[in-house]
Amino acid sequence: MVDSLIDFLHTLMAMPVFYPLVTVLIVADALAPVVPSETVLNLAGAFSASRGVPSVWGVIVAAIIGGIIGDNICFALGGKLISRVEALDPESKAGQAIRWVRRNMNRGAGATIIVARFIPWARWVATIVLGSVRYNWFKFVFFDTIGVILWAFLSVGVGYLGGRILQDYPLLAMLLGVVLGSSVGYLIQKGQNKLAEWRDVRQGVSNV
């Protein structure tokens, strides 16, 4: 069964259509973050390292295109989607993401846009909130593009690292790639929170 799964994934990822599928999936994830697209990028990176397909660069480019398109669609629809964001359960992951985004927007929209790209619900909320308040689109595109590029390279790269570590065990390599990818996103969020809190404390001290 495992061999059949590996063979199926090998066939799928070796097909040229795999790259546009990645782009479409990431656009869909930007609009409705049900299944984090990082998982697909982690898997693709790990599979590339262990089996030779798909092309790492092809996946990265597909991810960048999908991320930028999806985020800009959300930004453009911000005014229409903001009511859905505000209606979310405050205790849900999405609700927590709303608090995180609004708290960090006050500290700096640019950094928030970049970091939010690594947090599934936060990136969805951030693009909608910014679109709803008519944040400068050129600034949004600038920071969002930086975030998407970093996110694509890191998501695929971490998966690739997992694949290299367990090159002879494709299934374990993919699982390790996903675990490493999830850990990186978590650490980025925690690190950003700690840095922001430290800056807040320093700002508070300097204002006394």
Side-chain angles (χ1 to χ4, degrees), residues 19-99:
Y19 304 103
L21 283 176
V22 169
T23 298
V24 170
L25 175 66
I26 292 173
V27 171
D29 174 61
L31 298 173
V34 178
V35 179
S37 51
E38 289 89 345
T39 302
V40 174
L41 300 183
N42 298 153
L43 288 172
F47 208 82
S48 177
S50 62
R51 305 286 285 194
V53 292
S55 163
V56 168
W57 292 109
V59 175
I60 289 173
V61 170
I64 291 171
I65 293 171
I68 292 173
I69 291 174
D71 288 351
N72 277 273
I73 291 175
C74 266
F75 182 87
L77 296 175
K80 296 181 179 179
L81 296 177
I82 190 64
S83 59
R84 294 189 180 184
V85 169
E86 293 174 340
L88 293 170
D89 180 2
E91 299 305 317
S92 66
K93 285 187 176 181
Q96 294 171 16
I98 294 171
R99 291 198 299 272

Side-chain angles (χ1 to χ4, degrees), residues 141-166:
V141 170
F142 175 75
F143 290 117
D144 183 65
T145 300
I146 293 174
V148 169
I149 291 173
L150 292 174
W151 168 80
F153 271 91
L154 196 58
S155 297
V156 178
V158 168
Y160 189 87
L161 175 62
R164 293 291 291 180
I165 293 172
L166 295 172

Side-chain angles (χ1 to χ4, degrees), residues 38 71 100 105 108-119 122-123 126-127 130 135 139-152 154 188-189 192:
E38 289 89 345
D71 288 351
W100 181 88
M105 284 295 179
T112 301
I113 293 169
I114 294 172
V115 175
R117 178 24 75 173
F118 294 86
I119 310 169
R123 63 174 172 252
T127 53
L130 287 168
Y135 181 76
K139 288 184 179 180
F140 173 78
V141 170
F142 175 75
F143 290 117
D144 183 65
T145 300
I146 293 174
V148 169
I149 291 173
L150 292 174
W151 168 80
L154 196 58
I188 287 174
Q189 181 182 7
Q192 191 273 343

